[in-house]
Amino acid sequence: MKIWSQTLELAANTPAERNRYVDFLRAFSILFVISGHWLITGAFVDPQTGSYAPMLALEIVPWTEWLTWLFQVMPVFFMVGGYANAVSLESAAARGIGYGAWLATRLHRLLRPMLLLVLVWAVIAVLLFAGGTSSESIQFITRTALLPTWFLAIYTMIVILAPPSHAAWRRWGYWSLLAYLALAAATDIAFFGFDWQLPGWSNYFWIWLAVHHLGFAWRDGRQGSPPVLLAIAAAALIALALAVVWGPYPIAMAGSPGEGPSNSLPPKLTLAMLGMVQFGVLLAVERPMRRLLENLRFWAATVLINSMIMTLYLWHMSILLLLLGASWLAGGLGLGMEPGSAGWWWIRIPWVAIPALLLLPAAIGLSPLERMSRPADAPAPSLWRQLPGAALVGLGISFTALFGIDGNPLSPANTGIVALVLGGAWICGITFRPN
């Protein structure tokens, strides 16, 4: 296969100083998120009545909430993002590239692949509305398809704050990390102790900036020895268990089953604890993993996944919806198993394997969009243009992930949301012109 031979050649020319484990963890975390979403999401068709209902395993099979302690790996991605942003900022400083030019490149790489996803689902929503589908159903479908965009909404803000956050790390080290954790703890106290709901949303910043800071520590080699890292992981795991068993926090580390509070919507201090567990365990095995990644084929597979990683992530729920739709049209094929039964768990194997087979060629076809760098001759928009533009994009994709698109061209929940995303991207200077 041509793409594999090209990847092998690219992998063979990797600079010796590159930390390959960073790339491996990025690929690993995204694939874990994708498989986790496919594993717990589905639908049930009643064999007797033929009724069709969406299904979330966390709500129907309560013990699966404990599986989220394993499958919630977004802290890994933010940690890896911290490492990568530190490397990028160091390189920009060495080359005399300022904040505005650095940010323009990062936003272009981060946001451009997402625009196509939003456009495609906006068109599908309008077609469904024109065909008589209810706005509520269209919103449910598009909300499911666009769910992955929530990550870009907050990660865009973290990237914007990366330069001052990195400067704080360079000046104050772990004290700056403790400051973020203290703010997160204070926010949780206000949330649970005083029922102050609105300030709780600020934890999207404090929690993920704290985990992002762990990547700075890793980049500077200040993560500690493997025994220290394992001790950190053990202490964080004990704290997490105590917070769930004796504290006000729910079990599930992802999703929001039931009517009670959620650990992830908005984030709670428990996700920072989980991030510390992952930080300690994963970095304790960094040396043997880096030796393993010296194997050309293993490393080439990592390179291949990273070359299309944003495409894989953004489109994986769309592929799942395609499979669900095909199963429904086929009379509920594969959807009649009672959720939580032995047969239902066995069918999870093809339920994850089939969308993987569908996603890979789609990702190969769409991924060139994310590999196109910003045109070298394109001037960087001013920082005061990029910041509000990115904020508008973040607001728009937050709405898509929370509410979906209703398909009515005259509705703010359709045209308004799309206008926020596309208008914000235009203000940021995001272009589809190839380099």
Side-chain angles (χ1 to χ4, degrees), residues 141-175:
I141 293 169
T142 55
R143 186 169 69 247
T144 302
L146 297 172
L147 178 64
T149 60
W150 80 264
F151 167 75
L152 290 180
I154 183 57
Y155 192 71
T156 297
M157 298 300 105
I158 298 302
V159 167
I160 288 173
L161 295 171
S165 184
H166 188 245
W169 164 259
R170 284 297 177 89
R171 181 168 184 177
W172 292 298
Y174 276 107
W175 287 108

Side-chain angles (χ1 to χ4, degrees), residues 57-420:
L58 296 178
E59 297 176 347
I60 297 175
V61 189
W63 66 262
T64 58
E65 293 182 32
W66 291 103
L67 291 180
T68 61
W69 290 43
L70 180 65
F71 280 93
Q72 173 55 285
V73 292
M74 272 302 168
V76 179
F77 201 89
F78 279 94
M79 179 179 70
V80 167
Y83 188 105
N85 284 329
V87 172
S88 178
L89 286 166
E90 292 166 9
S91 175
R95 290 179 292 158
I97 296 175
Y99 183 7
W102 176 85
L103 184 61
T105 300
R106 301 301 276 184
L107 291 180
H108 185 84
R109 180 76 181 270
L110 188 63
L111 297 179
R112 186 164 70 163
M114 176 270 303
L115 298 180
L116 179 61
L117 179 73
V118 173
L119 279 173
V120 166
W121 278 103
V123 171
I124 292 174
V126 170
L127 292 176
L128 289 173
F129 183 82
T133 306
S134 69
S135 292
E136 292 77 11
S137 296
I138 298 172
Q139 283 184 288
F140 175 79
I141 293 169
T142 55
R143 186 169 69 247
T144 302
L146 297 172
L147 178 64
T149 60
W150 80 264
F151 167 75
L152 290 180
I154 183 57
Y155 192 71
T156 297
M157 298 300 105
I158 298 302
V159 167
I160 288 173
L161 295 171
S165 184
H166 188 245
W169 164 259
R170 284 297 177 89
R171 181 168 184 177
W172 292 298
Y174 276 107
W175 287 108
S176 55
L177 171 61
L178 291 174
Y180 288 136
L181 293 176
L183 287 167
T187 301
D188 277 7
I189 291 171
F191 184 93
F192 288 111
F194 300 95
D195 198 28
W196 293 354
Q197 303 286 316
L198 190 59
W201 294 91
S202 68
N203 257 351
Y204 270 109
F205 290 96
W206 315 135
I207 294 295
W208 296 126
L209 280 169
V211 177
H212 189 254
H213 241 53
L214 294 175
F216 294 160
W218 183 15
R219 170 58 182 171
D220 283 355
R222 297 178 62 183
Q223 70 271 30
S225 64
V228 170
L229 286 164
L230 291 176
I232 291 171
L237 182 59
I238 292 170
L240 178 59
L242 292 176
V244 168
V245 174
W246 289 337
Y249 300 96
I251 296 171
M253 293 295 133
S256 305
E259 298 297 325
S262 166
N263 282 312
S264 58
L265 189 69
K268 304 292 186 297
L269 194 60
T270 43
L271 286 186
M273 297 175 190
L274 182 63
M276 295 293 289
V277 174
Q278 294 166 344
F279 174 75
V281 171
L282 294 175
L283 294 196
V285 298
E286 180 181 6
R287 287 184 182 178
M289 286 302 301
R290 290 181 71 167
R291 287 195 296 269
L292 180 62
L293 286 161
E294 291 174 4
N295 179 282
L296 180 60
R297 292 189 176 275
F298 189 35
W299 170 235
T302 303
V303 172
L304 180 61
I305 295 168
N306 274 280
S307 72
M308 59 182 78
I309 195 164
M310 192 59 69
T311 307
L312 288 168
Y313 175 69
L314 287 173
W315 289 90
H316 78 277
M317 292 303 290
S318 299
I319 293 295
L320 179 63
L321 283 171
L322 176 66
L323 179 60
L324 285 169
S327 299
W328 179 66
L329 292 173
L333 180 65
L335 303 179
M337 296 287 183
E338 185 69 28
S341 65
W344 183 84
W345 279 110
W346 277 111
I347 210 168
R348 293 296 91 192
I349 298 174
W351 197 252
V352 171
I354 292 173
L357 293 174
L358 296 173
L359 179 60
L360 183 58
I364 291 173
L366 293 171
S367 60
L369 189 63
E370 72 173 279
R371 291 195 294 272
M372 291 180 183
S373 58
R374 191 168 178 276
D377 60 342
S382 71
L383 190 61
W384 304 116
R385 176 180 164 183
Q386 293 185 68
L387 294 180
L392 289 177
V393 174
L395 184 62
I397 57 182
S398 295
F399 285 150
T400 65
L402 287 171
F403 308 116
I405 301 172
D406 67 9
N408 183 350
L410 302 179
S411 167
N414 186 85
T415 307
I417 288 177
V418 176
L420 277 175

